Amino acid sequence: MMMAAPIISNKCPAAAAPPWRRRASLLRCRYCEDDYTLLGVRRRRAQPQQQRQPRPPRPRRIVLVRHGESEGNVDEAAYTRVPDPLIGLTVKGWRDAEDCGRRLRALFSSDSGDDDWKVYFYVSPYRRTLETLRGIGRAFESDRVAGVREEPRLREQDFGNFQDSDTMRVHKELRRRYGRFFYRFPNGESAADVYDRITGFRGTLRGDIDVGRFFDPPHCARTRNMNIVLVSHGLTLRVFLMRWYKWTVRQFEGLRNLPNGGVIVMQTGQGGSYSLLVHHTPDELRAFGLTDEMLQDQMWYKTTANPGDLNHSFLTDGQSFFDDPCFVTPPPSSVPFVTPPPPPPPPY
C-alpha cells in the first residue's frame, strides 16, 4: 500500500523544512503567520534601490471635529421620537459647523509660504455629522477638497434603539457607578465596543496614509500640506485618541467631551509623529483631561518621535504599572455590594 504524501503548506518556508531544521527556520521567519508580509519584505529587499518608489508624504494634520449642536443636545426627549442616526442640527448647530469651517480654513492656510494645501474628510453617517460636514464645506472651494469618505466606524456610541427617558436616566447612573468605558447599554454598546471598531478604522487610516490614498488620481500633485478631518461624535473622538496614543482606561475616564463644533488637532512634530502639543497649549490639553504624564508623552511625540516609534518610558509601560497605588485593588471584603435599582417598565 502506498502511503499518501504529507500535506505541507506552501505559505511558510519553515513548514516545509525537515523536523530537525524546522526550529531554526521558524526563528529566521519573523512573519510565519503572515505570508503576505513575508513575501512583501523579500520583494522589497530584492528590488534594486533605483526602482523603489518614494514614500508618499504624511498628512500634516489629523483634525478631530465634534458635530454642531444637535436636537438631542438641547432636548433628550428627541431620542424617544427620532432614531439616533436621524437626529439633526439645530439652527445654532449649523452656525457651529460654519464657524468650525472658517477656523479650519484659517488653520490650514496659516503655514507661511505654503499655499498648496488640501483637506480630506472622513465623516460619520449620522445626520448631525453629515450636516456638520456640509456646514464646514461652505468654507472650502472644491479644488481644496481632496476627497470625502463616509465611514460607519466613526458613528456615535450605540445607546440602543428608540430611547425611553426614564430608562436612560437609570442606565446613565449605572454607567457612572460601573465605569464609563466598560458599561454596555442594553441593545447597544460600551465605550470598549467603540474601541474595537475604532481599532479597525485606525488600521484603515494608517494604511491610507502609508499608500498615499489622499491624492486625487491620476494627476494630483503630492502636496506636503494635506490635512485629514474626522467629523464624528464626542465619545468616539475620545476613544480614537485613546487608541492612537495607547492611553489606559483610567486615562480615558479623565477626558472631557469637546464642545459642539469643537476641534482638537494632531499635527506632525519634528520627527514626523503626530502630537497634540504642536497646535495646542498645555493648559488647553489639561482642560481636555490630559495629565502631566500624558503631556510629557505628547512632548516626546512633538520633539523626538519618528513615525512608528513607541515611548517605552511612558506611564502605560514599565515599572509604573506595578508601583502606581491607583492600580492596587482593595480586598473583596472592603468593597460594598450595592444592588442597583431596577429599570422602570417600558412605556406602552
Side-chain angles (χ1 to χ4, degrees):
M1 179 183 296
M2 295 183 61
M3 297 186 63
I7 298 175
I8 298 176
S9 172
N10 61 358
K11 291 185 177 181
C12 173
W20 59 87
R21 299 181 59 183
R22 192 168 298 168
R23 176 175 174 80
S25 300
L26 285 170
L27 291 175
R28 291 196 301 270
C29 178
R30 294 184 56 195
Y31 303 101
C32 288
E33 71 279 6
D34 187 354
D35 58 324
Y36 175 81
T37 305
L38 173 66
L39 295 175
V41 169
R42 287 184 172 176
R43 289 194 188 104
R44 287 197 298 271
R45 288 176 178 173
Q47 193 177 21
Q49 183 69 30
Q50 62 271 19
Q51 295 181 6
R52 294 182 184 176
Q53 296 295 323
R55 293 180 64 87
R58 305 194 90 204
R60 182 161 295 180
R61 303 176 184 89
I62 301 175
V63 182
L64 281 56
V65 176
R66 187 185 177 201
H67 61 79
E69 182 187 79
S70 72
E71 297 164 353
N73 292 135
V74 297
D75 179 17
E76 288 194 355
Y79 295 107
T80 67
R81 305 183 301 269
V82 183
D84 195 1
L86 299 183
I87 295 287
L89 295 181
T90 63
V91 174
K92 179 180 180 299
W94 279 99
R95 292 198 299 268
D96 291 338
E98 293 174 3
D99 178 65
C100 179
R102 289 188 289 269
R103 286 184 284 122
L104 290 179
R105 183 187 176 87
L107 171 64
F108 300 155
S109 60
S110 63
D111 297 298
S112 58
D114 188 356
D115 191 49
D116 182 26
W117 59 267
K118 292 185 183 294
V119 58
Y120 192 105
F121 294 97
Y122 288 88
V123 60
S124 158
Y126 279 30
R127 177 181 170 185
R128 55 189 177 273
T129 42
L130 291 171
E131 290 179 346
T132 299
L133 175 64
R134 295 187 186 105
I136 290 173
R138 294 173 182 173
F140 297 93
E141 300 87 354
S142 59
D143 62 344
R144 294 292 189 181
V145 179
V148 179
R149 187 185 305 180
E150 184 178 284
E151 177 49 73
R153 289 172 293 183
L154 288 177
R155 68 187 184 275
E156 174 66 291
Q157 178 185 7
D158 193 344
F159 295 98
N161 299 317
F162 286 102
Q163 299 173 22
D164 174 70
S165 299
D166 294 334
T167 304
M168 288 303 296
R169 276 194 291 272
V170 171
H171 285 297
K172 287 183 178 179
E173 172 61 19
L174 291 174
R175 179 182 65 171
R176 184 188 66 79
R177 293 157 55 187
Y178 190 88
R180 297 182 64 89
F181 188 76
F182 293 112
Y183 185 81
R184 178 180 287 119
F185 288 90
N187 300 313
E189 290 182 305
S190 65
D193 296 321
V194 178
Y195 184 97
D196 292 342
R197 57 176 158 89
I198 286 298
T199 295
F201 169 71
R202 177 182 177 273
T204 298
L205 180 60
R206 292 287 297 268
D208 287 348
I209 290 174
D210 290 342
V211 302
R213 203 177 300 279
F214 306 110
F215 307 104
D216 286 339
H219 303 300
C220 179
R222 292 198 164 189
T223 171
R224 293 193 175 274
N225 197 344
M226 180 66 71
N227 301 273
I228 308 303
V229 176
L230 313 183
V231 184
S232 185
H233 309 263
L235 180 134
T236 307
L237 295 175
R238 301 200 312 273
V239 169
F240 177 88
L241 290 170
M242 175 191 182
R243 179 64 185 86
W244 188 280
Y245 290 116
K246 303 174 179 59
W247 293 339
T248 65
V249 171
R250 183 165 61 93
Q251 290 165 340
F252 167 83
E253 296 278 4
L255 300 179
R256 298 169 180 82
N257 249 353
L258 293 172
N260 291 117
V263 168
I264 193 161
V265 180
M266 303 162 58
Q267 186 165 332
T268 49
Q270 298 174 19
S273 288
Y274 293 101
S275 171
L276 301 175
L277 273 176
V278 177
H279 178 78
H280 298 282
T281 66
D283 287 341
E284 289 174 335
L285 295 179
R286 286 191 183 95
F288 181 59
L290 270 69
T291 63
D292 288 341
E293 292 85 0
M294 296 161 77
L295 289 173
Q296 292 170 11
D297 185 52
Q298 290 299 313
M299 182 59 69
W300 177 81
Y301 276 109
K302 176 181 177 181
T303 60
T304 305
N306 296 312
D309 286 354
L310 181 64
N311 186 4
H312 293 284
S313 62
F314 183 41
L315 175 69
T316 57
D317 291 290
Q319 189 61 34
S320 60
F321 246 96
F322 304 97
D323 295 340
D324 194 332
C326 293
F327 285 101
V328 177
T329 304
S333 59
S334 67
V335 180
F337 177 78
V338 179
T339 302
Y348 294 98

